[in-house]
Amino acid sequence: MPGGPAMQPTNHLFYGDNLDVLRAHVPDASVDLIYLDPPFNSNANYNILFKSPEGRQSESQIEAFEDTWHWNDRAERAFDEVMRSGNTGAFTLLRAMREFLGDNDMMAYLAMMAVRLIELHRALKPTGSLYLHCDPTASHYLKLLLDGVFGATNYVNEIVWKRSDAKNDAGQGAKHFGRVNDIILFYQKTNDRIWNALYEPLSDEYVRKFYKYRDADGRRWKMDNMLGPGGAAKGNPYYEVMGVSRHWRYSRERMQQLIDEGRVVQTKPGNVPMYKRYLDESKGTQVTTNWSDISMLRGWSGEKMPYPTQKPLALLERIISASSDEGGVVLDPFCGCGTAVHAAQKLGRRWIGIDVTHLAIGLIEKRMTEAFPGIAFEVVGRPQSLASARDLARRDKHQFELWALSVVEADPWKGGRKGPDGGIDGIIWFKPDGRKTEKAIVEVKGGGTGVKDVGRLAQVIQRENAKIGVLITAQMPTRAMERDAAAVGVWANEYTGRKHGRLQIITLAELFQNKRPDIPWVDTTVGRQARREESAKQGSLL
């Protein structure tokens, strides 16, 4: 399927279904590296963006994919699109899976993923690579799908990331080994993929065990094998060195040069000569497929964001460093809280991020501007002007509410699900004394507003025992609305001595002028500031 028009060489953050975005905006063979961590888990929704300070998830679970991973008309259309894609291998596998699994949630997930993997394969350059991050719930099915889309010969690695320590749940009746691993499936477009070998420092134990020799100046070294692997069959030359005839990995000329440099040692006559390898020349140990050195994020680590499935920057930095070069394009079609685009920016790559929730896009905007002051990137699909915000309010009231809540960093009421809300669209949690959590009620109005809306919000503030209420309105408030809002009174913060209006009205125009609710202390467990990056490789942005 053809891709969209060529993009300018800048960074893009897209709100929308990644399948639509890929087809409309990402050209063929334009991306160097793809990382994706698609949300799926048999026991939990992966897209929980926020939790209340009391830890309740039911009120703050974002169900962005609630209709995506169930077998329905959308899943059937995705299955049919794979059939018509021309990728016979992918459809053959998908059809066999459907015969085995039936029409259930897992099959819907696989159909939705298959049509997206075909688009991602199209977008990759011949030198490109794809890393798909998943847990063992679906990794075996996804590997088969990737074999179908990319070709089995383009499988490179199955990486095992030890993301956590084992839970001590045996006492609760667990009858399994501790589940501590995620799987990262690594595929290439062709054999010409970009590859930068990565190394880990040698362990102290390894250095003590093997680098046990020292020169007079204290320089440490170990003895290393010089025999030619495979012998004559591999074309290794046969000759005598220090009285020992063998197949060697070096030519006669190179061997004599090493002898003259003092790099060949023989412990006693008759022993096989060895190469003298210095510790300070070692690159370290090449990174393997067992990634146990990068821990999951815990608590306030300096990069932890309000996103429960957030991956550590070090994990993405390793992937991006290995399979792309500076200036290359990194794509994350399920970008969540933006770790992949953050790592790409830090390492001097260009990037494309896509997500289907306004809250995620708003979180990434905040994260990137805080981590990289002065950064420029284009946000597509989210209102960037007063006119576009009003247009969204006319077209989709629900998405307009979610967008407005993301701007003021409010937690959507009951996960942003459609339906009766009891006069509450969102909640902003704050701690006036740094300990006890209080709340501000947020109500969003994209259409007409009047004094009745002010009166209803005042009642909700009282009913919910909230300190503050915020009314976001697309229209200018009338004098009567401003009068009634002022009549609700003020809340005095006894810890700072400041007074805050109990019912605050903010217009769309004021949001675009960076006016925000007058709240004393936003709860840092809900929205933490991203650590500022000092990297000199931020690159110039258009």
Side-chain angles (χ1 to χ4, degrees), residues 410-472:
D411 180 353
W413 179 245
K414 294 186 177 180
R417 292 186 182 93
K418 294 180 179 179
D421 57 21
I424 305 173
D425 287 330
I427 296 178
I428 300 174
W429 304 98
F430 63 98
K431 293 183 177 180
D433 62 350
R435 295 187 298 274
K436 183 181 178 182
T437 300
E438 302 289 358
K439 62 186 175 183
I441 304 297
V442 182
E443 183 73 359
V444 180
K445 295 293 182 182
T449 53
V451 291
K452 289 183 179 180
D453 297 297
V454 175
R456 278 194 291 266
L457 182 53
Q459 292 174 358
V460 173
I461 294 170
Q462 184 176 6
R463 185 190 75 207
E464 297 293 325
N465 194 27
K467 301 301 182 185
I468 294 171
V470 180
L471 177 63
I472 299 175

Side-chain angles (χ1 to χ4, degrees), residues 195-251:
W195 179 248
N196 305 307
L198 302 179
Y199 298 86
E200 298 175 292
L202 299 173
S203 68
D204 293 340
E205 180 182 358
Y206 184 91
V207 171
R208 285 194 301 270
K209 184 175 181 180
F210 293 100
Y211 285 91
K212 52 189 178 182
Y213 307 101
R214 294 179 185 267
D215 285 347
D217 60 2
R219 194 178 182 194
R220 299 183 69 158
W221 55 275
K222 71 171 184 176
M223 288 189 286
D224 211 350
N225 183 21
M226 295 194 300
L227 298 178
K234 295 295 183 180
N236 295 295
Y238 184 89
Y239 55 91
E240 180 183 318
V241 179
M242 297 180 177
V244 179
S245 295
R246 293 287 192 277
H247 286 95
W248 306 97
R249 66 179 60 203
Y250 305 116
S251 66

Side-chain angles (χ1 to χ4, degrees), residues 67-374:
D67 296 325
T68 303
W69 311 134
H70 298 309
W71 192 267
N72 51 26
D73 290 344
R74 292 185 64 199
E76 191 71 57
R77 285 197 300 272
F79 184 85
D80 290 344
E81 287 188 41
V82 177
M83 177 179 64
R84 296 191 299 269
S85 69
N87 192 316
T88 305
F91 182 67
T92 300
L93 283 168
L94 195 65
R95 185 176 61 178
M97 290 177 184
R98 187 173 183 180
E99 291 178 2
F100 173 68
L101 292 170
D103 295 346
N104 54 21
D105 289 359
M106 177 63 79
M107 192 59 225
Y109 174 73
L110 295 172
M112 293 292 204
M113 285 304 304
V115 71
R116 286 162 173 79
L117 288 173
I118 290 170
E119 287 299 322
L120 293 171
H121 181 267
R122 172 193 62 75
L124 268 182
K125 295 178 182 177
T127 54
S129 299
L130 177 142
Y131 290 75
L132 192 156
H133 193 140
C134 52
D135 74 1
T137 305
S139 61
H140 46 305
Y141 296 121
L142 290 168
K143 189 174 181 181
L144 286 172
L145 272 185
L146 285 164
D147 279 352
V149 173
F150 281 76
T153 57
N154 287 314
Y155 161 75
V156 181
N157 284 126
E158 180 174 289
I159 299 161
V160 178
W161 175 44
K162 184 179 180 293
R163 55 178 169 74
S164 66
D165 299 322
K167 293 181 179 179
N168 188 17
D169 54 1
Q172 285 74 47
K175 296 181 179 180
H176 55 74
F177 296 108
R179 294 166 179 161
V180 300
N181 296 330
D182 275 4
I183 302 298
I184 303 174
L185 301 171
F186 173 18
Y187 280 74
Q188 64 183 12
K189 183 85 173 267
T190 69
N191 284 326
D192 294 328
R193 76 176 186 278
I194 295 170
W195 179 248
N196 305 307
L198 302 179
Y199 298 86
E200 298 175 292
L202 299 173
S203 68
D204 293 340
E205 180 182 358
Y206 184 91
V207 171
R208 285 194 301 270
K209 184 175 181 180
F210 293 100
Y211 285 91
K212 52 189 178 182
Y213 307 101
R214 294 179 185 267
D215 285 347
D217 60 2
R219 194 178 182 194
R220 299 183 69 158
W221 55 275
K222 71 171 184 176
M223 288 189 286
D224 211 350
N225 183 21
M226 295 194 300
L227 298 178
K234 295 295 183 180
N236 295 295
Y238 184 89
Y239 55 91
E240 180 183 318
V241 179
M242 297 180 177
V244 179
S245 295
R246 293 287 192 277
H247 286 95
W248 306 97
R249 66 179 60 203
Y250 305 116
S251 66
R252 285 178 180 271
E253 293 76 16
R254 176 58 179 157
M255 181 68 77
Q256 187 58 52
Q257 182 182 1
L258 293 173
I259 293 171
D260 294 343
E261 293 172 355
R263 299 299 294 263
V264 179
V265 295
Q266 188 178 40
T267 53
K268 62 181 181 180
N271 283 4
V272 175
M274 304 291 283
Y275 178 69
K276 191 176 187 180
R277 187 176 298 280
Y278 286 102
L279 175 61
D280 57 21
E281 294 176 343
S282 173
K283 293 181 179 179
T285 303
Q286 188 166 3
V287 174
T288 70
T289 57
N290 182 17
W291 293 6
S292 58
D293 59 321
I294 300 175
S295 299
M296 65 183 293
L297 298 176
R298 293 181 174 88
W300 175 233
S301 64
E303 64 178 271
K304 180 68 175 172
M305 304 293 288
Y307 203 91
T309 59
Q310 180 183 356
K311 303 304 182 290
L313 269 173
L315 185 74
L316 274 300
E317 288 175 6
R318 175 171 291 178
I319 291 170
I320 291 169
S321 297
S323 292
S324 70
D325 295 328
E326 283 193 48
V329 178
V330 177
L331 166 65
D332 184 349
F334 296 92
C335 60
C337 67
T339 302
V341 299
H342 185 142
Q345 178 70 24
K346 183 178 178 181
L347 294 174
R349 276 65 167 172
R350 291 175 289 146
W351 50 264
I352 303 168
I354 310 170
D355 203 274
V356 75
T357 69
H358 282 298
L359 288 168
I361 299 298
L363 187 66
I364 297 169
E365 285 187 89
K366 183 174 183 289
R367 175 180 187 170
M368 297 300 285
T369 53
E370 288 175 351
F372 304 96

Side-chain angles (χ1 to χ4, degrees), residues 376-442:
F377 54 91
E378 184 177 353
V379 182
V380 181
R382 265 172 69 83
Q384 299 297 308
S385 67
L386 180 58
S388 59
R390 286 174 172 162
D391 179 63
L392 178 61
R394 286 191 297 269
R395 289 186 292 105
D396 193 327
K397 175 185 174 183
H398 184 64
Q399 287 299 324
F400 172 75
E401 288 178 1
L402 293 178
W403 166 77
L405 292 172
S406 73
V407 173
V408 297
E409 300 180 52
D411 180 353
W413 179 245
K414 294 186 177 180
R417 292 186 182 93
K418 294 180 179 179
D421 57 21
I424 305 173
D425 287 330
I427 296 178
I428 300 174
W429 304 98
F430 63 98
K431 293 183 177 180
D433 62 350
R435 295 187 298 274
K436 183 181 178 182
T437 300
E438 302 289 358
K439 62 186 175 183
I441 304 297
V442 182

